[in-house]
Structure formats: C-alpha cells, structure tokens
C-alpha cells in the first residue's frame, strides 16, 4: 500500500482536477489537499442501545482530527443487534454482518485512498469487523468503543439483558411471577451502551485494548459517562500522531499482541466468541493463530475477574477497580504478557502500564490478585473428539458438573430445542444436540442464548449438556459446547448423531465424543447426504458459498483453491 496516497492523488497536476473538484464540494479548500484524509467509520444506529450514542462520539473524534490538521470524512457501517435478533431467523445475519462491516471499511478506505481510519463501534460485530477492516487496509487506525451500559436494578439485584432471557425460564419453572418478568424486562436496559456483563461486546473491547488498537482504559467506560466522549476526542488526536509517524495496524497486530489479547480474555472470563473473532482478525493481519493457542494460554492464565455472566459484577465495576490496564499489569508482572508490544499510542504495553500498580486496589474483589484467583486456570477450553475433530469451544470454569454422558436429544434448529426445554421435555442427564446451525448450515452460526438461558432459568444449567455447531452468546454459561467443527452441514460428527445415542462431554479431559464404534461412525458417514442450502440467493447464500470453518474464524476471504 503506497504511503500518503491521498496527498499524491490530489496534488498531481491537471489530471487530478476532477478529484479536487469533488472534494471542494464537501468542504475542502486550497490548503486542505495536502492534509491526510481520514475515514471515520461511524456505526451509529438507533436500533440498539449499543450503538445509539456512537454519532456523538464520531463527531467528537471528527472535530479532534480536523483540529489536528487532518481532513476527516465520515461514512456509515451497519449493525445487527444480537440481543434483538436472538432466537429468530434474524440472528443468522449477525456474524454475517461482521464480514459486511470489514468489507465496507476495506471498500471505502481503499476506494477513496484514505490515509487513516478511526472506527466507532458498540455492538458485538462492529468491533471485530472494524479491526478486521483495519488489518486489511493497513493504514494508521484506531478503534473507539461506544461504551458499556450501566446495570438495571430490581429486587436488590443488578440486571443485564441476560437477566430477561433467564427470567423466561424462571417463570416457566414457577420460580418467579409474571409480574417479576415484566419488571425485569422493563428495568434490564436503562440506557445507552453495550450489554453490561463480560459478554461479547465488552470482551471484544477488552481484547482490542489488549491488542493495542484502542486507548488504555477505554474498553470498560460507560457509554453515558462524559469520559467516553472525551476519550473519543483523544483518540482523534492520537490517530493524527500515528499518521504522522506512519504507525500502521500490522506493526501493532503481531503475534505478541494476539497472545496478549488471549491472556486478557482468559483473565476477565470473556466470551467464547473471542476465539472466533481473534482467529478472524489474525487472519486479516497475516498472523498465524490456531485453536491450540487458546488452550496453551488457558493453562497459563488464571481467571482474575468475578464478572457476569457466571460471576457477580458488571463491567462498570471492573472499570472502577482499574479496568483492563489493572488486569494487564497483573499479567505483565507475572510473565504472561509481552510488555514490548507496540500500541497505537506509540508506546509499548509496558510503557502504557508504567504507572499502574502490580497489585489490584484494596477494598474491592472484582479483580483478584494473582495469588488468589477466581479460578486457577483459564475458562475457555478447546475440546476434541469424534464429534469435533477440528475442535470445539467451551467455558469450563464454575461448572457444577464437568463431565456428563447422557442420551442425545437431537434438534435441527435452535427454536425446536428452546421449545422442548421450556415444555419440560429435556431432563436432567440429557445432552441436547443443536446441529445444522454452523457457519454454512445455519447459515451464520446463530447464538444459542434462548435455549441456554432457558436451561439456567429452569434450574438445569449444571444438569444438562448442550452441544452445537452454532455459537453461544457471551452471556451464556453452563455445560455447553459450541463452534463444533467440522460442522454438520459438511458431514461433521454432529450430522451422524441419532436420538438416544450416548454422548460424552468431559471438560477436564477436554473431550467431546459420540459413544459408538469407529466402524458404526464410518457406516453412518457413508450413508449421510448433504442437505440442500437453506438460502439460494442474497447475502446468506453468498456467505454460505464463501465461509470457512469456525476453527479458522468463519472468515469469507480465504484464498481460492488452486
């Protein structure tokens, strides 16, 4: 990618007069054509509280960029609200939107030959999609997080969006009244911001800060607090400095940076979706990252933060306790972080953390000291076996039961499983199988928050296993295994399970197995026939044709086979 592309395009002789004429129409003067042009990718949308405040942040960043001597040019990126689309056909578009966002950023930045990029995002896929786009275009870039939502409150409890999903199961189990459900639903989301626990949005904001692509402390700020808008302004100034230094994403997004991000995700107890998204970002950055890298860090990094969905606290509590810099300083002090990794500030990780104590502050227990972790090892495990030859992802900490062998209850769609759970047809000891919900089979690898929340709400969270080639919401917890690869739609092991087969999930041994002989497995495989695609036109059909395995990040831009 040539350096300072725009300045050459806009100043090279009479043949570029047309370029300049178009730019004059949007506010350029004679002195502006030698300034860097910076794209401001704005994810503003009032369809979701995650993104409803992003326009104001983009405007603050835009003004800061202009004051710093650049020419910011704003463009939009789409969003799909996972929480709104959850449990519907619309959820099939969620992961697809990550690719659309990355494609949109690449298209605009390269199409208009921009010199830099500032992206503002809030919902789950805005963040990895934006950073994937940054890695592809490789012009100086920074990410601005829209901020977390503050918790709602009811009956003395902090509420998040998952409180509503779990309350549905609690109502069906007779544990709460319908009036309680109504009050929880009314109070769970009190204003702007991304879902408040260490769910996917806050996990990815934390990972992006750890990668070095956003400013320190900004990944845990509340959307409605003034410091979030102030941080957007600082991000604009920081990006202008990075453009002057030609500090590009691929210098920041190194192997060391991804290891730092994995370590932080483990320490904060983050979403299983971080595995999928970090694999995808690494692919775009040209960094080799595989599932086993996550397993290696699981063994080295304890869970230090007591955060929802399985813990007690929400992300604003983490921010008050010192945020991601505090977590990173503890990890750095104990040798599991690369302190010499470069960040968008122009300083190294160690330099950014120089003034942070190596011990968490007294008087709080959101962030635990290294010597007294919540769990001794990381929570995201990679399971393998004849049901997941390429691998599967599970949360393995805080489980009442770490091993289950039980009869398979097989479902071809998420909705059918959720209905069976709420109707009381899934019982203690069962292993629910939800298949043909993978990247190709779904398509789009839907999140299974409806069935998993129903299990928790009905008191079956530690008593029933659930296995799927789809994904889980960052709000999910329990004995659940997702991202199973190869997926059922291409003949993976899940396609061969029959109702009543014995299935074993063993979190300690990191094993996922269908308890039949190899000969029987091969016989079933020979009989299996691929189902027709569920969509034959439009973006979902296109995605089905292009998407890779979840074990490779479910990306859509792999090189064509020779």
């Amino acid at each position: 990618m040539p350096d300072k592309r725009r300045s050459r395009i806009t100043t090279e002789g009479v043949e570029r007069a047309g370029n300049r004429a178009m730019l004059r129409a949007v506010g350029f003067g004679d002195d502006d054509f030698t300034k860097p042009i910076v794209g401001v990718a704005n994810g503003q949308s009032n369809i979701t509280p995650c993104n409803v405040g992003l326009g104001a942040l983009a405007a603050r960043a835009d003004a800061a960029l202009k004051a710093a001597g650049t020419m910011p040019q704003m463009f939009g990126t789409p969003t799909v609200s996972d929480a709104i689309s959850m449990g519907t056909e619309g959820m099939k578009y969620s992961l697809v939107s990550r690719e659309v966002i990355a494609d949109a950023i690449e298209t605009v930045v390269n199409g208009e030959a921009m010199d830099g990029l500032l992206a503002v995002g809030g919902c789950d896929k805005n963040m990895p999609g934006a950073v994937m786009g940054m890695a592809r275009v490789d012009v100086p870039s920074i990410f601005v997080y829209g901020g977390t939502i503050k918790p709602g409150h009811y009956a003395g409890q902090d509420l998040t969006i998952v409180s509503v999903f779990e309350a549905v199961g609690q109502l069906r189990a007779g544990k709460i009244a319908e009036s309680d459900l109504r009050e929880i639903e009314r109070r769970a989301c009190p204003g702007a911001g991304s879902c408040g626990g260490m769910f996917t949005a806050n996990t990815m904001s934390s990972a992006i800060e750890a990668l070095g692509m956003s400013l320190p402390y900004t990944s845990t700020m509340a959307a409605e607090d003034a410091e979030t808008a102030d941080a957007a302004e600082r991000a604009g100034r920081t990006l202008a400095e990075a453009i002057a230094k030609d500090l590009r994403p691929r210098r920041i997004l190194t192997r060391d940076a991804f290891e730092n991000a994995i370590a932080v995700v483990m320490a904060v107890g983050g979403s299983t979706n971080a595995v999928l998204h970090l694999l995808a970002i690494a692919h775009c950055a040209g960094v080799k990252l595989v599932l086993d890298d996550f397993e290696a860090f699981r063994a080295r990094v304890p869970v230090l933060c007591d955060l929802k969905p399985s813990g007690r606290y929400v992300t604003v509590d983490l921010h008050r306790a010192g945020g991601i810099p505090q977590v990173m300083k503890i990890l750095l002090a104990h040798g599991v972080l690369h302190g010499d990794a470069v960040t968008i500030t122009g300083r190294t990780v160690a330099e950014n953390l120089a003034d942070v104590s190596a011990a968490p502050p007294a008087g709080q227990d959101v962030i635990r000291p290294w010597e007294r972790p919540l769990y001794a090892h990381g929570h995201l495990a990679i399971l393998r076996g004849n049901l997941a030859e390429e691998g599967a992802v599970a949360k393995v900490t805080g489980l009442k039961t770490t091993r289950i062998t039980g009869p398979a209850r097989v479902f071809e769609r998420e909705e059918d499983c959720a209905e069976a759970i709420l109707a009381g047809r899934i019982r203690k000891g069962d292993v629910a199988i939800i298949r043909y919900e993978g990247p190709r089979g779904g398509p789009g690898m839907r999140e299974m928050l409806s069935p998993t929340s129903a299990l928790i709400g009905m008191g079956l969270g530690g008593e029933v296993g659930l296995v799927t080639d789809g994904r889980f919401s960052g709000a999910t917890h329990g004995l659940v295994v997702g991202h199973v690869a190869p997926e059922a739609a291409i003949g993976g092991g899940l396609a061969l399970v029959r109702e009543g087969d014995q299935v074993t999930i063993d979190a300690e041994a990191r094993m996922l197995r269908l308890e039949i002989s190899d000969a029987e497995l091969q016989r079933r495989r020979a009989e299996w026939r691929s189902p027709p695609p569920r969509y034959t036109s439009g973006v979902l059909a296109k995605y089905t044709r292009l998407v890779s395995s979840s074990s490779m990040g479910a990306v859509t831009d792999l090189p064509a086979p020779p």
Side-chain angles (χ1 to χ4, degrees):
M1 201 73 68
D3 296 338
K4 298 181 179 177
R5 298 174 294 174
R6 172 59 62 187
S7 61
R8 279 212 292 269
I9 287 175
T10 55
T11 57
E12 284 180 359
V14 295
E15 70 274 14
R16 300 302 181 195
N19 304 84
R20 294 194 294 274
M22 293 292 289
L23 291 171
R24 287 185 192 280
V26 296
F28 277 62
D30 288 342
D31 295 336
D32 295 327
F33 291 110
T34 58
K35 297 175 182 177
I37 290 184
V38 179
V40 178
N42 181 2
Q44 166 72 27
S45 169
N46 62 4
I47 191 63
T48 168
C50 315
N51 285 40
V52 72
L54 299 188
L57 301 184
R60 283 286 293 272
D62 184 281
L65 283 162
K66 195 155 193 175
T70 76
M71 291 301 290
Q73 303 297 300
M74 197 175 299
F75 62 95
T77 58
T79 190
V80 172
S81 170
D82 288 10
I84 295 173
S85 64
M86 196 73 68
T88 74
E89 286 287 293
M91 180 43 113
K92 294 183 177 181
Y93 289 87
S94 172
L95 187 60
V96 174
S97 75
R98 185 192 73 180
E99 305 302 299
V100 174
I101 291 163
D103 290 350
I105 287 173
E106 177 188 352
T107 300
V108 174
V109 172
N110 283 346
E112 302 298 336
M114 290 172 169
D115 298 296
L117 171 65
L118 182 147
V120 187
C123 217
D124 292 7
K125 307 309 175 297
N126 298 156
M127 287 175 273
V131 181
M132 289 165 68
M134 291 172 180
R136 289 185 194 174
V137 300
D138 200 32
V139 298
S141 303
I142 193 167
F143 181 77
V144 174
Y145 181 39
T148 185
I149 198 170
K150 293 180 179 179
H153 303 282
Y154 178 67
Q157 299 293 316
D158 282 347
L159 300 177
T160 68
I161 184 62
V162 75
S163 306
V164 184
F165 285 90
E166 292 184 359
V168 173
Q170 291 169 339
L171 177 65
R172 290 294 183 95
K175 296 180 180 181
I176 61 172
E178 188 171 343
S179 59
D180 292 315
L181 173 59
R182 285 198 300 269
E183 289 304 313
I184 291 169
E185 179 260 313
R186 286 173 179 144
R187 300 165 186 256
C189 297
S194 299
C195 298
M198 191 48 68
F199 309 151
T200 301
N202 286 321
T203 297
M204 290 314 301
S205 68
S206 300
I208 292 167
E209 183 176 324
L211 284 169
M213 292 300 296
S214 62
L215 296 179
Y217 294 100
T218 59
S219 64
T220 53
M221 291 177 176
E224 296 183 333
D225 286 352
E227 64 176 346
T228 303
D230 293 341
E233 183 177 315
R234 285 192 288 115
R237 293 197 299 268
T238 300
L239 178 58
E241 294 168 2
I243 293 169
K245 299 173 184 174
D246 198 29
L247 177 55
R248 300 180 179 220
R250 292 198 179 198
R251 185 178 163 202
I252 297 169
L253 294 172
T254 62
R255 170 75 188 198
D256 286 355
F258 283 99
E259 291 188 353
N260 286 350
I262 295 171
V264 166
V265 168
M266 293 292 179
V268 300
S271 166
T272 52
N273 282 312
V275 177
L276 195 73
H277 296 326
L278 288 173
L279 288 170
I281 296 168
H283 163 73
C284 293
V287 173
K288 182 174 175 56
L289 198 70
V290 296
L291 284 175
D292 287 341
D293 293 322
F294 292 84
E295 186 60 41
F297 272 84
R298 187 189 73 84
R300 297 177 58 197
V301 180
V303 178
L304 299 176
C305 299
D306 189 3
L307 297 167
K308 291 180 182 295
S310 56
R312 294 178 291 164
Y313 296 104
V314 293
T315 304
V316 291
D317 298 318
L318 173 61
H319 189 63
R320 284 191 288 266
I324 295 305
Q326 181 63 78
V327 175
M328 292 180 71
K329 187 59 176 273
I330 296 170
L331 298 178
L332 180 66
H334 290 85
V336 292
L337 218 62
H338 300 283
D340 56 354
V342 176
T343 72
I344 189 58
T345 65
R347 298 184 294 275
T348 65
V349 165
E351 288 168 341
N352 284 341
L353 301 175
D355 296 331
V356 180
S357 171
Q364 60 81 41
D365 57 354
V366 183
I367 305 174
R368 302 283 190 91
W370 180 272
E371 298 78 15
R372 190 171 54 83
L374 196 65
Y375 302 107
H377 301 289
H379 64 301
L380 298 181
I382 306 304
L383 277 58
R384 297 185 188 274
N386 63 4
L387 281 181
E389 293 176 347
E390 291 179 15
V393 183
K395 287 184 180 178
V396 297
T397 51
L399 298 175
K400 297 177 184 177
T401 305
T402 60
R403 188 183 193 280
I404 185 172
T405 297
R409 306 296 308 280
V410 181
F411 302 93
E412 313 295 308
R413 300 188 315 147
E414 173 195 3
E415 293 91 337
D416 298 337
C417 182
E419 179 184 342
I421 293 166
L422 292 172
R425 299 198 302 271
I426 301 297
R427 298 180 174 85
K428 177 180 177 180
D430 286 346
V431 179
I433 304 291
I434 307 177
R435 64 190 180 189
Y436 297 107
E437 289 281 13
R440 290 191 190 179
M445 207 178 177
R446 284 194 290 181
E447 291 182 353
M448 305 290 148
L449 184 59
S450 295
T452 58
S453 295
L455 288 173
I456 297 295
M458 297 186 73
L460 294 171
E463 312 294 344
V464 170
L466 192 150
V467 180
T468 181
D469 48 10
R471 297 180 294 131
F472 293 117
S473 164
T476 293
H477 55 115
L479 191 59
V480 296
V481 183
H483 304 204
V484 172
E487 63 175 291
I490 61 171
L494 283 189
L496 311 179
V497 182
R498 296 179 179 174
E499 185 79 11
D501 282 345
Q502 294 292 299
V503 173
T504 297
I505 304 170
D506 191 331
E508 294 294 331
R510 302 186 298 284
M511 185 263 286
L512 180 64
R513 179 173 175 78
L514 175 62
E515 300 294 350
I516 63 174
S517 68
D518 290 345
E520 173 63 12
L521 192 68
Q522 292 306 316
R523 188 185 69 78
R524 293 185 188 183
R525 179 164 283 121
E527 293 177 351
W528 178 81
R529 296 294 179 268
S530 176
R534 287 173 167 163
Y535 297 84
T536 56
S537 63
V539 67
L540 293 182
K542 186 189 303 183
Y543 184 86
T544 300
R545 292 193 297 270
L546 295 175
V547 70
S548 76
S549 168
S550 60
S551 66
M552 302 172 70
V555 295
T556 55
D557 65 334
L558 290 180

